Structures are given as structure tokens and as C-alpha cells.
Amino acid sequence: MIPAVLLACQRMESVTAPAGRQFSAITEAAGDGTRTCMDGSLNVLWNGGDVLNVYIGKNKPVTGYAPADAEGKSETTISVREESSGGSGAIGIPVGEESIGFNVAYYPKVSGSINCQDSEYSIKVSVPDTQAYAENSFGRDAFHMVAVTRDVDDTDFRFRNVSGALRLQLTGDATIRKIILSGNSAEPLSGAATVSLAGDPELKFTRSSGINPATNTSITLDCGEGVALKGGEATSFFIALAPCVFWTGFSALIIDSEGGRMMLSSHNQQTIRRSTVLTMPAREYVADDVEFVDLGLSVKWATANL
């Protein structure tokens, strides 16, 4: 494989989270597709039918939905689906669950409950090891956000971003099928994790080892049938990531539709921060699946807050 070492300045850009102003309780069901996306100004926008967890004063969730007219908006009303087996008008809260004294919304929909340890609340979540490509954005279910109200009577969800993102930029004439990202020091990138609810939300992966570890050290961006590059014009590939430090850099294995491969490699410490996009310099994709030489050159980066 032909090496491509990231040399030019990277940019760190802020991402703005959507703020759902209110939520209402209804029994109407909706589709289970989540597609929250990002616009060209790095604002996170809702899509109609987005699905998320809503914890209404309890540590177990019900399902919330964004309406069809939420498409492309930063603010919307979240409706809560009836979860109980019968009746209408009442919010279905699972029997026997504990009160937490406030409301929480979490995107995307996860199976985890809210836990309390040493008076600190957190949500159990799982970060998938595969994300779907989306043009000029991250894919469905990829970018995590959370909102916590002051008390159970407060229905104003002001979301805060949990994730950050890495943007790779490629030029050339190939069709890209997938990108596999891994840290050079085997940092966990997907799997079981918890998200703290106090202060700035913090996602921490579950420490594990053995034959079936709870976390994975790689994450794959699946481009489906392929994304055709545009010659000299750079095409962006966004990978949503939990905040982390790549202590000795990271490597991205890029695979095209013909089976060709190229490795992008950075050997300097790189940091993914909450609510930011780390943008790497554009590189030309040239496949050679025979030889890989990692030059291990330095990478410089700078921040730019939008």
C-alpha cells in the first residue's frame, strides 16, 4: 500500500448542538430511523422522525420522536411515545423504576438506564463499531447528544454534544467503499460506555479485557455501494468519535471498490474533543495493495472556533 502521511495544518472546529424547546406526551407511534445530521456551518440539525430516549423523572426511558417538520431545524418539539401495553393519555413509565428528580433526553436511542453512584448520575450506552457514510455529515445514530433539565417540571431540553468528529478529505478518481480508523496505541473507539450527566457530558468506555472485550479499538465508516471521488476537489468523510487522545496518532485504512487500499497515518498525538471536528488536510487517494511504508512524519494542527 502507498503511505500518505498527514502533513499540513489540521483545523479544530466547534459543532453546535440542537436545542429541543419542549417535549409532549403522546401515544402515537413513529418510524425508528434516526438521521440527525450536520449542516455546512457545523450546526447539528434535526431530521423528521429522529428517535431518542426520554427519561421522565425515572431512570428507565420511554421513546421520543421529532416530528416531520423538524427537518433541517435546530429546535423542535419532542413527542413521547406511549410505552405501556394499553390505554392512552398517560405516559408509560416502566413499573418499579426509581425516581431521579429530573428529565433527560439522549440521542440516539440507546438501551441503557440511568445509574447513580456516589451521587453522580450517568447513562449506559453503546457506541457502534460501524457508521454509515453521509454526504458532508456524520451518519445516522453516530453523533451522541444529551440534555438534562433542572427538575421534572422543566420541559426545556437544551442538548449538549457528547461526541466529536474526525474529517478526512480525499481527492482522486477512485470509489471509496470503507474507511477503518484505529489508534496507534489501541485506544478504545467503540463498544460499552457510560456518559456522565453532570457538567460537560463525558463519555468513558468500559474497561475490559479477555476473549470478549466490551470495547473495540477500531471503528469503520461504511460507504455502502461507494462514494466516488471528484478528481481534484476534496471529498469529506466524517467519523463521529467519543472524545479521546490518540497518544501516538492514528491510522486510517481506506479501501476502494476495486479492493485497492491506502493507509493514512499520523504518528503525533492527536486529540478528539467534545463538540469539535478535527479536520485533516486533503490527500490524494492512490491505491497500491502491495507495499506499506509508514514514514512517521510530524503532524501540526491548529484550532479554529466557529
CSV table of all heavy atoms in Angstrom, one decimal, residues 93-139:
chain,number,residue,atom,x,y,z
A,93,ILE,N,-44.5,4.7,32.0
A,93,ILE,CA,-43.3,4.5,32.8
A,93,ILE,C,-43.2,3.1,33.3
A,93,ILE,O,-44.1,2.6,33.9
A,93,ILE,CB,-43.2,5.5,34.0
A,93,ILE,CG1,-43.3,6.9,33.5
A,93,ILE,CG2,-42.0,5.3,34.8
A,93,ILE,CD1,-42.1,7.4,32.7
A,94,PRO,N,-42.1,2.4,33.0
A,94,PRO,CA,-42.0,1.0,33.5
A,94,PRO,C,-42.2,0.9,35.0
A,94,PRO,O,-41.7,1.8,35.8
A,94,PRO,CB,-40.5,0.6,33.1
A,94,PRO,CG,-40.2,1.5,31.9
A,94,PRO,CD,-40.9,2.8,32.2
A,95,VAL,N,-42.9,-0.1,35.4
A,95,VAL,CA,-43.3,-0.3,36.8
A,95,VAL,C,-42.0,-0.6,37.6
A,95,VAL,O,-41.1,-1.3,37.2
A,95,VAL,CB,-44.3,-1.4,37.0
A,95,VAL,CG1,-44.6,-1.6,38.4
A,95,VAL,CG2,-45.6,-1.0,36.2
A,96,GLY,N,-41.9,0.0,38.8
A,96,GLY,CA,-40.9,-0.4,39.8
A,96,GLY,C,-39.6,0.4,39.5
A,96,GLY,O,-38.6,0.0,40.2
A,97,GLU,N,-39.5,1.3,38.7
A,97,GLU,CA,-38.3,2.1,38.4
A,97,GLU,C,-38.1,3.2,39.5
A,97,GLU,O,-39.0,3.6,40.1
A,97,GLU,CB,-38.2,2.6,37.0
A,97,GLU,CG,-38.4,1.5,35.9
A,97,GLU,CD,-37.4,0.4,36.1
A,97,GLU,OE1,-36.3,0.6,36.6
A,97,GLU,OE2,-37.7,-0.7,35.7
A,98,GLU,N,-36.9,3.7,39.6
A,98,GLU,CA,-36.6,4.7,40.6
A,98,GLU,C,-36.7,6.1,40.0
A,98,GLU,O,-36.4,6.4,38.9
A,98,GLU,CB,-35.1,4.5,41.1
A,98,GLU,CG,-34.9,3.1,41.7
A,98,GLU,CD,-33.5,2.9,42.2
A,98,GLU,OE1,-32.7,3.8,41.9
A,98,GLU,OE2,-33.2,1.8,42.7
A,99,SER,N,-37.1,7.0,40.9
A,99,SER,CA,-37.2,8.4,40.6
A,99,SER,C,-35.8,9.0,40.6
A,99,SER,O,-34.9,8.7,41.4
A,99,SER,CB,-38.0,9.2,41.6
A,99,SER,OG,-38.0,10.6,41.3
A,100,ILE,N,-35.5,10.0,39.6
A,100,ILE,CA,-34.3,10.7,39.6
A,100,ILE,C,-34.4,12.2,39.8
A,100,ILE,O,-33.4,12.9,39.9
A,100,ILE,CB,-33.5,10.4,38.2
A,100,ILE,CG1,-34.4,10.8,37.0
A,100,ILE,CG2,-33.1,8.9,38.1
A,100,ILE,CD1,-33.6,10.7,35.7
A,101,GLY,N,-35.6,12.7,39.8
A,101,GLY,CA,-35.9,14.1,40.1
A,101,GLY,C,-35.7,15.1,39.0
A,101,GLY,O,-35.8,16.3,39.2
A,102,PHE,N,-35.4,14.6,37.8
A,102,PHE,CA,-35.2,15.5,36.7
A,102,PHE,C,-35.5,14.7,35.4
A,102,PHE,O,-35.7,13.5,35.4
A,102,PHE,CB,-33.8,16.1,36.6
A,102,PHE,CG,-32.7,15.1,36.8
A,102,PHE,CD1,-32.2,14.5,35.7
A,102,PHE,CD2,-32.2,14.8,38.0
A,102,PHE,CE1,-31.2,13.5,35.8
A,102,PHE,CE2,-31.2,13.8,38.1
A,102,PHE,CZ,-30.7,13.2,37.0
A,103,ASN,N,-35.5,15.4,34.3
A,103,ASN,CA,-35.8,14.7,33.0
A,103,ASN,C,-34.5,14.7,32.1
A,103,ASN,O,-33.7,15.7,32.2
A,103,ASN,CB,-36.9,15.5,32.2
A,103,ASN,CG,-38.2,15.6,33.0
A,103,ASN,OD1,-38.6,14.6,33.6
A,103,ASN,ND2,-38.8,16.7,32.9
A,104,VAL,N,-34.3,13.7,31.3
A,104,VAL,CA,-33.2,13.6,30.5
A,104,VAL,C,-33.6,13.1,29.1
A,104,VAL,O,-34.5,12.3,28.9
A,104,VAL,CB,-32.2,12.5,31.1
A,104,VAL,CG1,-31.0,12.3,30.1
A,104,VAL,CG2,-31.7,12.9,32.5
A,105,ALA,N,-32.9,13.7,28.1
A,105,ALA,CA,-33.1,13.2,26.7
A,105,ALA,C,-31.7,12.8,26.2
A,105,ALA,O,-30.8,13.5,26.4
A,105,ALA,CB,-33.7,14.2,25.8
A,106,TYR,N,-31.7,11.6,25.5
A,106,TYR,CA,-30.4,11.2,24.9
A,106,TYR,C,-30.6,10.7,23.5
A,106,TYR,O,-31.5,10.0,23.2
A,106,TYR,CB,-29.9,10.0,25.7
A,106,TYR,CG,-28.4,9.7,25.5
A,106,TYR,CD1,-27.4,10.4,26.2
A,106,TYR,CD2,-28.0,8.9,24.4
A,106,TYR,CE1,-26.1,10.1,25.9
A,106,TYR,CE2,-26.7,8.7,24.1
A,106,TYR,CZ,-25.7,9.3,24.9
A,106,TYR,OH,-24.4,9.1,24.6
A,107,TYR,N,-29.7,11.3,22.6
A,107,TYR,CA,-29.7,10.9,21.2
A,107,TYR,C,-28.4,10.2,20.9
A,107,TYR,O,-27.3,10.7,21.3
A,107,TYR,CB,-29.9,12.1,20.3
A,107,TYR,CG,-29.8,11.7,18.8
A,107,TYR,CD1,-31.0,11.3,18.1
A,107,TYR,CD2,-28.6,11.7,18.2
A,107,TYR,CE1,-30.9,10.9,16.8
A,107,TYR,CE2,-28.5,11.3,16.8
A,107,TYR,CZ,-29.7,10.9,16.2
A,107,TYR,OH,-29.6,10.5,14.9
A,108,PRO,N,-28.4,9.1,20.2
A,108,PRO,CA,-29.5,8.3,19.6
A,108,PRO,C,-30.2,7.5,20.7
A,108,PRO,O,-29.8,7.4,21.8
A,108,PRO,CB,-28.9,7.5,18.5
A,108,PRO,CG,-27.5,7.2,19.1
A,108,PRO,CD,-27.1,8.4,19.8
A,109,LYS,N,-31.2,6.8,20.3
A,109,LYS,CA,-31.9,5.9,21.2
A,109,LYS,C,-31.0,4.8,21.6
A,109,LYS,O,-30.3,4.1,20.8
A,109,LYS,CB,-33.1,5.3,20.5
A,109,LYS,CG,-33.9,4.3,21.4
A,109,LYS,CD,-35.2,3.9,20.7
A,109,LYS,CE,-35.9,2.8,21.5
A,109,LYS,NZ,-36.3,3.3,22.9
A,110,VAL,N,-30.8,4.6,22.9
A,110,VAL,CA,-30.0,3.5,23.5
A,110,VAL,C,-30.8,2.7,24.4
A,110,VAL,O,-31.9,3.0,24.8
A,110,VAL,CB,-28.7,4.1,24.2
A,110,VAL,CG1,-27.8,4.9,23.2
A,110,VAL,CG2,-29.2,5.1,25.3
A,111,SER,N,-30.2,1.5,24.8
A,111,SER,CA,-31.0,0.6,25.7
A,111,SER,C,-30.7,0.8,27.1
A,111,SER,O,-31.2,0.2,28.0
A,111,SER,CB,-30.7,-0.9,25.3
A,111,SER,OG,-29.3,-1.1,25.4
A,112,GLY,N,-29.7,1.7,27.4
A,112,GLY,CA,-29.3,1.8,28.8
A,112,GLY,C,-30.2,2.6,29.7
A,112,GLY,O,-30.9,3.5,29.3
A,113,SER,N,-30.0,2.4,31.0
A,113,SER,CA,-30.7,3.1,32.1
A,113,SER,C,-29.8,4.1,32.7
A,113,SER,O,-28.6,4.1,32.4
A,113,SER,CB,-31.2,2.1,33.1
A,113,SER,OG,-30.2,1.4,33.7
A,114,ILE,N,-30.4,5.0,33.5
A,114,ILE,CA,-29.6,5.9,34.2
A,114,ILE,C,-29.2,5.3,35.6
A,114,ILE,O,-30.0,4.8,36.3
A,114,ILE,CB,-30.4,7.2,34.5
A,114,ILE,CG1,-30.6,7.9,33.1
A,114,ILE,CG2,-29.6,8.2,35.4
A,114,ILE,CD1,-31.4,9.2,33.2
A,115,ASN,N,-27.9,5.4,35.9
A,115,ASN,CA,-27.4,4.9,37.2
A,115,ASN,C,-26.9,6.0,38.0
A,115,ASN,O,-26.5,7.1,37.6
A,115,ASN,CB,-26.2,3.9,36.9
A,115,ASN,CG,-26.7,2.7,36.0
A,115,ASN,OD1,-27.7,2.1,36.3
A,115,ASN,ND2,-25.9,2.5,34.9
A,116,CYS,N,-26.8,5.7,39.3
A,116,CYS,CA,-26.3,6.7,40.3
A,116,CYS,C,-25.3,6.0,41.2
A,116,CYS,O,-25.5,5.0,41.8
A,116,CYS,CB,-27.4,7.3,41.2
A,116,CYS,SG,-26.9,8.6,42.3
A,117,GLN,N,-24.1,6.6,41.2
A,117,GLN,CA,-23.0,6.1,42.0
A,117,GLN,C,-22.3,7.3,42.7
A,117,GLN,O,-21.8,8.2,42.0
A,117,GLN,CB,-22.0,5.2,41.2
A,117,GLN,CG,-20.9,4.6,42.1
A,117,GLN,CD,-20.1,3.7,41.2
A,117,GLN,OE1,-20.2,3.5,40.0
A,117,GLN,NE2,-19.1,3.0,41.9
A,118,ASP,N,-22.2,7.3,44.0
A,118,ASP,CA,-21.6,8.4,44.7
A,118,ASP,C,-22.2,9.7,44.4
A,118,ASP,O,-21.6,10.7,44.2
A,118,ASP,CB,-20.1,8.4,44.5
A,118,ASP,CG,-19.4,7.1,44.9
A,118,ASP,OD1,-19.8,6.5,45.9
A,118,ASP,OD2,-18.4,6.7,44.3
A,119,SER,N,-23.6,9.7,44.3
A,119,SER,CA,-24.4,10.9,43.9
A,119,SER,C,-24.1,11.4,42.5
A,119,SER,O,-24.5,12.6,42.2
A,119,SER,CB,-24.1,12.0,45.0
A,119,SER,OG,-24.5,11.5,46.3
A,120,GLU,N,-23.5,10.7,41.7
A,120,GLU,CA,-23.2,11.1,40.3
A,120,GLU,C,-24.1,10.2,39.4
A,120,GLU,O,-24.0,9.0,39.4
A,120,GLU,CB,-21.7,11.0,40.0
A,120,GLU,CG,-20.8,11.8,40.8
A,120,GLU,CD,-21.0,13.3,40.4
A,120,GLU,OE1,-21.4,13.6,39.3
A,120,GLU,OE2,-20.7,14.2,41.3
A,121,TYR,N,-24.8,10.9,38.5
A,121,TYR,CA,-25.7,10.2,37.5
A,121,TYR,C,-25.0,10.0,36.2
A,121,TYR,O,-24.2,10.8,35.7
A,121,TYR,CB,-27.0,10.9,37.3
A,121,TYR,CG,-27.9,10.9,38.5
A,121,TYR,CD1,-27.9,11.9,39.4
A,121,TYR,CD2,-28.8,9.8,38.6
A,121,TYR,CE1,-28.8,11.9,40.5
A,121,TYR,CE2,-29.7,9.8,39.7
A,121,TYR,CZ,-29.7,10.8,40.6
A,121,TYR,OH,-30.5,10.8,41.7
A,122,SER,N,-25.2,8.8,35.6
A,122,SER,CA,-24.6,8.5,34.3
A,122,SER,C,-25.6,7.6,33.5
A,122,SER,O,-26.4,6.9,34.1
A,122,SER,CB,-23.3,7.9,34.4
A,122,SER,OG,-23.3,6.6,35.0
A,123,ILE,N,-25.4,7.5,32.2
A,123,ILE,CA,-26.2,6.6,31.3
A,123,ILE,C,-25.3,5.6,30.7
A,123,ILE,O,-24.2,5.9,30.2
A,123,ILE,CB,-26.9,7.4,30.2
A,123,ILE,CG1,-27.9,8.5,30.8
A,123,ILE,CG2,-27.7,6.5,29.3
A,123,ILE,CD1,-28.6,9.3,29.7
A,124,LYS,N,-25.8,4.4,30.7
A,124,LYS,CA,-25.1,3.3,30.0
A,124,LYS,C,-25.4,3.4,28.5
A,124,LYS,O,-26.6,3.4,28.2
A,124,LYS,CB,-25.4,1.9,30.6
A,124,LYS,CG,-24.9,1.7,31.9
A,124,LYS,CD,-25.2,0.2,32.4
A,124,LYS,CE,-24.6,-0.1,33.7
A,124,LYS,NZ,-25.0,-1.5,34.1
A,125,VAL,N,-24.4,3.4,27.7
A,125,VAL,CA,-24.6,3.5,26.2
A,125,VAL,C,-23.7,2.5,25.5
A,125,VAL,O,-22.9,1.9,26.1
A,125,VAL,CB,-24.4,4.9,25.7
A,125,VAL,CG1,-25.2,5.9,26.4
A,125,VAL,CG2,-22.9,5.3,25.8
A,126,SER,N,-23.9,2.3,24.2
A,126,SER,CA,-23.1,1.5,23.4
A,126,SER,C,-22.7,2.3,22.1
A,126,SER,O,-23.6,2.8,21.5
A,126,SER,CB,-23.7,0.2,23.0
A,126,SER,OG,-22.8,-0.6,22.2
A,127,VAL,N,-21.5,2.4,21.8
A,127,VAL,CA,-21.0,3.1,20.6
A,127,VAL,C,-20.8,2.0,19.5
A,127,VAL,O,-19.9,1.2,19.7
A,127,VAL,CB,-19.7,3.9,20.9
A,127,VAL,CG1,-19.2,4.6,19.6
A,127,VAL,CG2,-20.0,4.9,22.0
A,128,PRO,N,-21.6,2.0,18.4
A,128,PRO,CA,-21.4,1.0,17.4
A,128,PRO,C,-20.0,1.1,16.7
A,128,PRO,O,-19.4,2.1,16.7
A,128,PRO,CB,-22.5,1.4,16.4
A,128,PRO,CG,-23.5,2.2,17.1
A,128,PRO,CD,-22.7,2.9,18.1
A,129,ASP,N,-19.5,-0.1,16.3
A,129,ASP,CA,-18.2,-0.2,15.6
A,129,ASP,C,-18.3,0.1,14.1
A,129,ASP,O,-17.3,0.2,13.5
A,129,ASP,CB,-17.5,-1.5,15.9
A,129,ASP,CG,-18.3,-2.7,15.3
A,129,ASP,OD1,-19.4,-2.4,14.6
A,129,ASP,OD2,-17.9,-3.8,15.6
A,130,THR,N,-19.5,0.4,13.6
A,130,THR,CA,-19.7,0.8,12.2
A,130,THR,C,-20.6,2.0,12.1
A,130,THR,O,-21.7,2.0,12.8
A,130,THR,CB,-20.2,-0.4,11.4
A,130,THR,OG1,-19.3,-1.5,11.5
A,130,THR,CG2,-20.4,0.0,9.9
A,131,GLN,N,-20.2,2.9,11.3
A,131,GLN,CA,-21.1,4.1,11.0
A,131,GLN,C,-21.4,4.1,9.5
A,131,GLN,O,-20.5,3.7,8.7
A,131,GLN,CB,-20.4,5.4,11.4
A,131,GLN,CG,-20.1,5.5,12.9
A,131,GLN,CD,-19.3,6.8,13.2
A,131,GLN,OE1,-19.3,7.7,12.4
A,131,GLN,NE2,-18.7,6.8,14.4
A,132,ALA,N,-22.5,4.6,9.1
A,132,ALA,CA,-22.9,4.8,7.7
A,132,ALA,C,-22.4,6.2,7.2
A,132,ALA,O,-22.5,7.2,7.9
A,132,ALA,CB,-24.4,4.6,7.5
A,133,TYR,N,-21.9,6.2,6.0
A,133,TYR,CA,-21.4,7.4,5.4
A,133,TYR,C,-22.6,8.3,5.1
A,133,TYR,O,-23.7,7.8,4.7
A,133,TYR,CB,-20.7,7.2,4.1
A,133,TYR,CG,-20.5,8.4,3.3
A,133,TYR,CD1,-19.4,9.2,3.5
A,133,TYR,CD2,-21.4,8.7,2.2
A,133,TYR,CE1,-19.2,10.3,2.7
A,133,TYR,CE2,-21.2,9.8,1.4
A,133,TYR,CZ,-20.1,10.7,1.7
A,133,TYR,OH,-19.9,11.8,0.9
A,134,ALA,N,-22.5,9.6,5.3
A,134,ALA,CA,-23.5,10.6,4.9
A,134,ALA,C,-22.7,11.8,4.3
A,134,ALA,O,-21.6,12.2,4.8
A,134,ALA,CB,-24.3,11.1,6.1
A,135,GLU,N,-23.2,12.3,3.2
A,135,GLU,CA,-22.5,13.3,2.5
A,135,GLU,C,-22.4,14.6,3.3
A,135,GLU,O,-23.4,15.1,3.9
A,135,GLU,CB,-23.3,13.7,1.2
A,135,GLU,CG,-22.6,14.7,0.3
A,135,GLU,CD,-23.3,14.9,-1.0
A,135,GLU,OE1,-24.4,14.4,-1.2
A,135,GLU,OE2,-22.8,15.7,-1.8
A,136,ASN,N,-21.2,15.1,3.5
A,136,ASN,CA,-20.9,16.3,4.3
A,136,ASN,C,-21.4,16.3,5.7
A,136,ASN,O,-21.7,17.3,6.3
A,136,ASN,CB,-21.4,17.5,3.5
A,136,ASN,CG,-20.6,17.7,2.2
A,136,ASN,OD1,-19.4,17.5,2.2
A,136,ASN,ND2,-21.3,18.1,1.2
A,137,SER,N,-21.5,15.1,6.3
A,137,SER,CA,-22.1,15.0,7.6
A,137,SER,C,-21.6,13.6,8.2
A,137,SER,O,-21.0,12.8,7.5
A,137,SER,CB,-23.6,15.1,7.6
A,137,SER,OG,-24.1,15.0,8.9
A,138,PHE,N,-22.0,13.4,9.4
A,138,PHE,CA,-21.8,12.0,10.0
A,138,PHE,C,-23.1,11.3,9.8
A,138,PHE,O,-24.2,11.8,9.5
A,138,PHE,CB,-21.5,12.1,11.5
A,138,PHE,CG,-22.1,13.3,12.2
A,138,PHE,CD1,-23.5,13.3,12.5
A,138,PHE,CD2,-21.4,14.4,12.6
A,138,PHE,CE1,-24.1,14.4,13.1
A,138,PHE,CE2,-21.9,15.4,13.2
A,138,PHE,CZ,-23.3,15.4,13.5
A,139,GLY,N,-23.0,9.9,9.9
A,139,GLY,CA,-24.2,9.1,9.6
A,139,GLY,C,-25.2,8.9,10.7
A,139,GLY,O,-25.0,9.5,11.8
